[in-house]
Amino acid sequence: LQYTHIPPHSTMLRARCAARNLWRISQRRSSAVAQQYPLVKFEKEDVDTVMAELPAFNFYEFKDTAPNPYRHTTLDRSILLDSPEPVLSAPKVEVSQLENGLRVASIDKQGLMSRLSLHVHAGSRFENSSNFGVSHMVSMLSYSSTAHLSQLRTVKTLEQLGANSTTSCKAGREEITYRI
């Protein structure tokens, strides 16, 4: 399928159209044997034990534990004495499946940052007149209080784990995406 009129500024729309076409092609080929993914054993953790491992955090206390050794270093100087040569390799995609059927795709980009995204196949496309707007409501309630954790505790835990204000939830036409 080809789309005749797509504005040049809408690269996101092009990506969605391409993904939708790939999905349609894969549905036509559904008579092929399904790919088997390696299973990953799920171990349930106790919430109290996990919370006990986190250090106490005081939002109103600001203290500098150690002076910055690089405060007089300009950006044109390297702070590494013997900088090693980087070993570059192409990112590798691994797909596995949990016991409950959840498929996990991981890509190692060999960077200093990591990102976790959960894509739920439940966007506004799957709504009808009886539940219109529920995907938007679910995205608005993301990272809020739950039966076990308050919103403050959730935010505090994510910040202590290194997710500084990078959590987001977006509801689209095809899916709801949670990102950390």
Side-chain angles (χ1 to χ4, degrees):
L1 295 175
Q2 289 197 357
Y3 294 92
T4 56
H5 177 64
I6 297 177
H9 64 277
S10 62
T11 57
M12 189 64 155
L13 181 62
R14 288 182 187 163
R16 285 185 182 167
C17 292
R20 192 175 296 131
N21 286 339
L22 289 176
W23 180 79
R24 287 179 184 156
I25 291 170
S26 69
Q27 291 300 316
R28 288 185 205 141
R29 297 179 187 167
S30 62
S31 62
V33 178
Q35 184 177 0
Q36 296 294 322
Y37 301 107
L39 288 176
V40 178
K41 184 79 174 159
F42 177 75
E43 297 177 13
K44 186 174 182 179
E45 293 182 321
D46 184 31
V47 176
D48 295 330
T49 307
V50 173
M51 290 301 176
E53 293 174 1
L54 296 173
F57 185 77
N58 187 353
F59 285 102
Y60 304 105
E61 179 180 329
F62 298 100
K63 61 179 178 179
D64 193 16
T65 55
N68 184 358
Y70 307 110
R71 70 176 170 263
H72 299 296
T73 304
T74 57
L75 292 176
D76 61 344
R77 283 186 25 202
S78 174
I79 60 171
L80 300 174
L81 297 177
D82 296 322
S83 59
E85 281 294 318
V87 179
L88 301 176
S89 63
K92 185 175 138 186
V93 178
E94 294 181 12
V95 179
S96 57
Q97 187 170 2
L98 300 178
E99 291 175 332
N100 60 359
L102 180 71
R103 283 181 301 201
V104 178
S106 57
I107 303 173
D108 183 12
K109 294 185 177 181
Q110 301 175 0
L112 299 176
M113 291 182 59
S114 63
R115 177 171 288 269
L116 174 69
S117 297
L118 174 66
H119 299 269
V120 181
H121 192 64
S124 61
R125 174 184 183 179
F126 305 104
E127 296 175 357
N128 56 30
S129 60
S130 65
N131 62 1
F132 183 69
V134 74
S135 62
H136 179 69
M137 183 189 71
V138 167
S139 71
M140 295 301 290
L141 293 175
S142 64
Y143 307 109
S144 298
S145 298
T146 65
H148 303 289
L149 297 172
S150 67
Q151 182 180 12
L152 177 64
R153 188 61 163 170
T154 303
V155 170
K156 181 178 170 182
T157 303
L158 288 172
E159 284 180 351
Q160 288 178 341
L161 293 173
N164 300 330
S165 71
T166 57
T167 58
S168 67
C169 181
K170 212 184 314 184
R173 177 118 174 95
E174 301 287 332
E175 61 192 5
I176 301 172
T177 304
Y178 297 89
R179 289 188 175 156
I180 297 177

